[in-house]
Structure formats: C-alpha cells, structure tokens
Amino acid sequence: TVLVLAPHGDDELNLAGGVMEEYIAAGSRVTVAFTTNGDAQVDADIRAAEELAAAASLGIGADRVIFLGYDSGTARGWPYLFEATEPTRSLAGNFATHAVAGVAPWREDSPYTRAAFTEDLYSLLCSLRPDVVIPCLADQEIDHRTLALCFEQAMGAALRDLPDWQPQVLGAYAYAAAWHAPDDFESSI
C-alpha cells in the first residue's frame, strides 16, 4: 500500500505522478491525501473535483482520495508553523476542517492549529499504516513547508507508537528546488 501526502491538488502529480502509475501497474493500492483544500485563490469544491478527476485518470478511485480539509493560507499568517492555541481564520473564512465537493474531511471540525493538523496526519498514518509513504518535503511554498514540518512530528510519533510498522518513506519535492538555506546542499539542484 502506498500513501502520497500532497499539500494541494497537482502536487501529488509533481511528487509522484509516474511513481503512482508504476505502483498501480504492479498491483499496489495507492491512496492520495490532500492536506489543504487549495482554496486561497480558487473555490475548494472546484479544486476537489479536479483532484478527484486527476486521481481517476491514474486509476485511483474516489474511495482512495482523502481530504484532510485544511484551508490554504490565513489572514494572520500561517498557524500551523507555530503553536497557536486558538484556531486562525483562513483566507476562505473558515476556522476548522470541512467538507469539499460533498466529501467529508478526514476529521470534521479540526481547528486550524498546528496541533490539530499534526494530530490529523498522525491519525491518518496510524489508521492506514501504508507500506510506502511519499510526503512533500519542505520547499519555498508555505503549505509545502507546513506539511513537511508537521509530517516529521506525526511520523515520528506514529513510529514510536507502532514499533511493528516500518514503512519506507520516500520524500519528494513538488517543485524543482528545495528549501534554500545558506550553504544548503540542495540549493545546487
């Protein structure tokens, strides 16, 4: 079983489009989970419909597409990168996870906080226990960084709590270049 963790629709294809096709051709069960609704600039229902159609074109049924239900961006910055205790209002006007395109989120009404985001990732990992996890690594985009940082925390907790689960983690970048820090070896990519 394979789990691809993508921040937005289209990132799953950038991360693992060809790899997903190969896994499916080999008979693997592939699940794609989108952490955000991608709704900072486009209606979430439209984005979700596009994501479902893209998955279907690869042979991934709607039952294997998961929406965590977090919105993209917030009016006060990004709550998932710091330990906000109060939910932050998103640019789309929401404070908690919600359904898109008639599809319920992984957990309804999770507040827009880093703790809830990380807990939802943890819950997803522990529930699915995939053999292969392909998460988005930290690049220059804020939703991608958020997923990468929270995934590390959630995955570490899941591995501690489930010592018999030993997945292969194949981190990937959705964009051509990685996070750019001074003297970062990835800056030469």
Side-chain angles (χ1 to χ4, degrees):
T1 58
V2 179
L3 172 63
V4 176
L5 289 171
H8 315 106
D10 80 4
D11 290 330
E12 82 284 9
L13 299 174
N14 292 337
L15 293 169
V19 173
M20 288 189 292
E21 286 182 325
E22 291 297 319
Y23 273 117
I24 291 166
S28 297
R29 185 177 176 136
V30 175
T31 299
V32 178
F34 296 100
T35 57
T36 77
N37 296 328
D39 58 355
Q41 298 172 338
V42 178
D43 181 84
D45 289 336
I46 292 171
R47 292 289 302 252
E50 292 171 347
E51 292 155 0
L52 290 167
S57 74
L58 292 172
I60 301 170
D63 63 323
R64 305 303 310 158
V65 178
I66 297 169
F67 297 96
L68 266 66
Y70 289 84
D71 282 354
S72 294
T74 65
R76 286 191 354 222
W78 204 248
Y80 317 124
L81 296 179
F82 56 89
E83 297 296 333
T85 54
E86 295 295 318
T88 302
R89 181 178 185 267
S90 74
L91 296 175
N94 301 300
F95 289 91
T97 57
H98 55 91
V100 291
V103 180
W106 178 250
R107 291 194 324 179
E108 188 78 42
D109 294 324
S110 287
Y112 289 166
T113 64
R114 180 178 178 157
F117 188 95
T118 303
E119 176 59 31
D120 285 355
L121 285 173
Y122 170 85
S123 170
L124 179 70
L125 292 165
C126 291
S127 176
L128 298 181
R129 295 178 68 158
D131 300 310
V132 177
V133 183
I134 304 173
C136 184
L137 297 177
D139 58 29
Q140 68 270 26
E141 207 280 333
I142 192 70
D143 292 337
H144 300 196
R145 270 187 264 160
T146 298
L147 172 54
L149 292 171
C150 293
F151 170 77
E152 294 235 354
Q153 202 172 1
M155 189 68 185
L159 291 173
R160 280 189 301 276
D161 294 346
L162 302 169
D164 61 320
W165 178 49
Q166 297 181 353
Q168 184 175 23
V169 178
L170 306 172
Y173 293 105
Y175 294 145
W179 172 257
H180 296 291
D183 301 321
D184 188 332
F185 77 95
E186 294 169 336
S187 65
S188 63
I189 294 175

